[in-house]
Structures are given as structure tokens and as C-alpha cells.
């Protein structure tokens, strides 16, 4: 376990659907780095936070929950092609998610933490991060991975991809890139970046007398 750090760098990890964010983040987690998955956090808040539940039912109706469980497919169908409804849902879920995420950061003790999210740039939640790692992968491989993983058709995967900003633009906005395209080995890239982030965290703490 890595302990004794006073300033924790907050690093984001992002990339297009199916690029391998979770897979790459899992390698960082193996190195002792705490990882927060924004999607899982938002889901648990929709499930457990009483005022969020009430606001969702008020906005979308009782069908938003079935037997006390969030009805993901119903909500997805409401917001998928309706930017206004998406905005309504985000305005309910985002503030509570940001608070829970900040609370989680305060509980960690590590040189840096990772926040994994598909939509940092789209949602404006890149603010407050010390840097963002992009996971890059060709579109054709991403489509194949998601078709295999989620048993979806090519058209269904493309419809999801079209909800996100273009992958090459997303990578341009990132500070570091991990290439997870099965042409270059991924784990050595993670190890190298991990060392660089450890040095950056130490340097930051020393230069700020922390
Ligand atoms: P989403 O955008 O849906 O959140 P993601 O970017 O987190 O997905 P993963 O779930 O990590 O992507 O990976 C998508 C699929 O591709 C998974 O089935 C995963 O096992 C596989 N995969 C990811 N990276 C690799 C790799 N380097 N080699 C082989 N398979 C991989």
C-alpha cells in the first residue's frame, strides 16, 4: 500500500465507448491506485439517494423505478434522443454525484487517484482534475469489443458512439494517451505513466512544502 501523501493528484481517465477505460483503470488499481467509476457512482446515487429518487420520479414518472430498482432501460429510452430530457436527468443526478465524488476523494490516501468517466469533456466535469489520461483504440476494434461484450448489433453500438464527441478530438484534449489497440502492449505503458505520476505527485508535494 502507498501511504503518507498529503496532496493527492486527481487524474481522470477517459476514452470512447469500448476503448478499454475499465480494463486500463483496473491495471492502475492493481498498482494500489484508488479508482472511482463515475457511471457506477451515478447509478448508486440514483438507486440510494432519496431526494434524487423523488426528483427523478417527479420528472419522469413512477416507471423510473420498478420494485425499488432504477429502471435503466426506461430512463435510457426517455433521454436517448431527447437532449432536454437528458439535461433534466443530469441536473438531478450530477450535483449529488459531484458531492459524493468529492467526499470519496477526501477518504483516499494515495499519491494520486483516478476518476474514470466516458464524458468528462461532454459534461464539463474535467474541471478540478490535475490531468486526464486518454485511452485510445481504433473505431473498428471498439465496435467489435462492445458487440462482443454487450451482445449488441453494429447499429446499436454506432448509435451509442454517436452520443459522444469524436474520439480523435477527445484524445487531443487529454494530457497522456494509453494506446489500447492490441498493436502495442498496454501494461508497460501503464507502468511508465504510473512512475511519471508518482514523480509528479512527489514533486508537487515537495514544491508546496506538503
Ligand atoms: P465502456 O465505454 O462501455 O465503459 P470501456 O471503455 O470501459 O467500456 P472495457 O469494458 O474496459 O471498455 O473494454 C471493452 C471490452 O474490450 C471488454 O470486454 C474488455 O475485456 C475488452 N478489452 C479491453 N482492452 C483489451 C485488451 N487490451 N485486450 C483484449 N481485450 C480488451
Amino acid at each position: 500500500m502507498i501511504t503518507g501523501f498529503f496532496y493527492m493528484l486527481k487524474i481522470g481517465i477517459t476514452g470512447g465507448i469500448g476503448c478499454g477505460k475499465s480494463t486500463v483503470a483496473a491495471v492502475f488499481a492493481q498498482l494500489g491506485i484508488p479508482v472511482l467509476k463515475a457511471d457506477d457512482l451515478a447509478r448508486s446515487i440514483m438507486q440510494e439517494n432519496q431526494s434524487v429518487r423523488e426528483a427523478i420520479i417527479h420528472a419522469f414518472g413512477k416507471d423510473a423505478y420498478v420494485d425499488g430498482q432504477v429502471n435503466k432501460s426506461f430512463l435510457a429510452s426517455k433521454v436517448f434522443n431527447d437532449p432536454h430530457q437528458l439535461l433534466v436527468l443530469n441536473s438531478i443526478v450530477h450535483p449529488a454525484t459531484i458531492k459524493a465524488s468529492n467526499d470519496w476523494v477526501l477518504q483516499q490516501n494515495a499519491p494520486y487517484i483516478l476518476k474514470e468517466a466516458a464524458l468528462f469533456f461532454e459534461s464539463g466535469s474535467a474541471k478540478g482534475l490535475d490531468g486526464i489520461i486518454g485511452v485510445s483504440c481504433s473505431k473498428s476494434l471498439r465496435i467489435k469489443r462492445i458487440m462482443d461484450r454487450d451482445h449488441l448489433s453494429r447499429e446499436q453500438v454506432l448509435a451509442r458512439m454517436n452520443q459522444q464527441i469524436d474520439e480523435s478530438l477527445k484524445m487531443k484534449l487529454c494530457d497522456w494517451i494509453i494506446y489500447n489497440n492490441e498493436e502495442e502492449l498496454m501494461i508497460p505503458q501503464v507502468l511508465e505513466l504510473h512512475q511519471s505520476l508518482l514523480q509528479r505527485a512527489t514533486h508537487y508535494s515537495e514544491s508546496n512544502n506538503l
Side-chain angles (χ1 to χ4, degrees):
M1 197 168 121
I2 313 164
T3 57
F5 284 81
F6 296 97
Y7 179 84
M8 273 191 318
L9 296 173
K10 291 175 268 311
I11 306 295
I13 181 162
T14 195
I17 179 170
C19 64
K21 293 177 291 298
S22 300
T23 306
V24 173
V27 180
F28 281 98
Q30 285 293 314
L31 296 168
I33 298 306
V35 177
L36 180 71
K37 287 170 173 274
D39 285 353
D40 291 355
L41 184 63
R43 211 169 293 136
S44 80
I45 280 170
M46 288 164 77
Q47 189 63 43
E48 283 151 28
N49 184 309
Q50 192 56 30
S51 53
V52 167
R53 284 174 82 103
E54 284 166 9
I56 289 176
I57 290 169
H58 181 72
F60 295 95
K62 285 202 297 289
D63 289 344
Y65 290 85
V66 174
D67 297 331
Q69 302 295 308
V70 63
N71 187 348
K72 282 187 285 181
S73 54
F74 171 80
L75 284 174
S77 72
K78 288 282 176 194
V79 304
F80 196 65
N81 279 318
D82 188 334
H84 174 70
Q85 294 287 63
L86 180 60
L87 203 64
V88 170
L89 184 62
N90 285 343
S91 69
I92 297 170
V93 179
H94 272 171
T97 308
I98 290 167
K99 183 182 179 315
S101 161
N102 291 341
D103 291 348
W104 176 85
V105 168
L106 291 174
Q107 288 161 12
Q108 308 308 312
N109 180 17
Y112 67 96
I113 57 93
L114 279 191
K115 287 189 185 183
E116 179 195 331
L119 306 177
F120 279 123
F121 303 115
E122 292 89 336
S123 70
S125 55
K127 275 181 280 178
L129 294 172
D130 296 297
I132 299 190
I133 302 167
V135 179
S136 174
C137 176
S138 70
K139 188 172 182 180
S140 56
L141 187 51
R142 291 194 291 126
I143 293 171
K144 180 181 176 310
R145 282 176 177 169
I146 296 302
M147 286 173 67
D148 290 348
R149 189 193 67 185
D150 296 346
H151 311 294
L152 294 175
S153 69
R154 186 182 165 80
E155 288 66 36
Q156 287 170 311
V157 177
L158 286 171
R160 289 186 185 190
M161 280 183 168
N162 290 339
Q163 300 273 307
Q164 303 186 348
I165 62 171
D166 178 64
E167 152 106 358
S168 58
L169 172 61
K170 198 173 267 193
M171 291 303 115
K172 281 197 188 110
L173 296 169
C174 290
D175 300 280
W176 308 275
I177 297 185
I178 302 272
Y179 294 94
N180 186 32
N181 47 21
E182 296 180 9
E183 285 160 20
E184 290 149 88
L185 293 174
M186 178 262 282
I187 291 176
Q189 298 176 67
V190 173
L191 294 175
E192 191 178 337
L193 181 52
H194 175 64
Q195 287 308 322
S196 161
L197 288 168
L198 288 180
Q199 279 172 14
R200 182 181 279 233
T202 306
H203 177 74
Y204 188 96
S205 291
E206 284 173 1
S207 57
N208 288 282
N209 294 320
L210 295 173

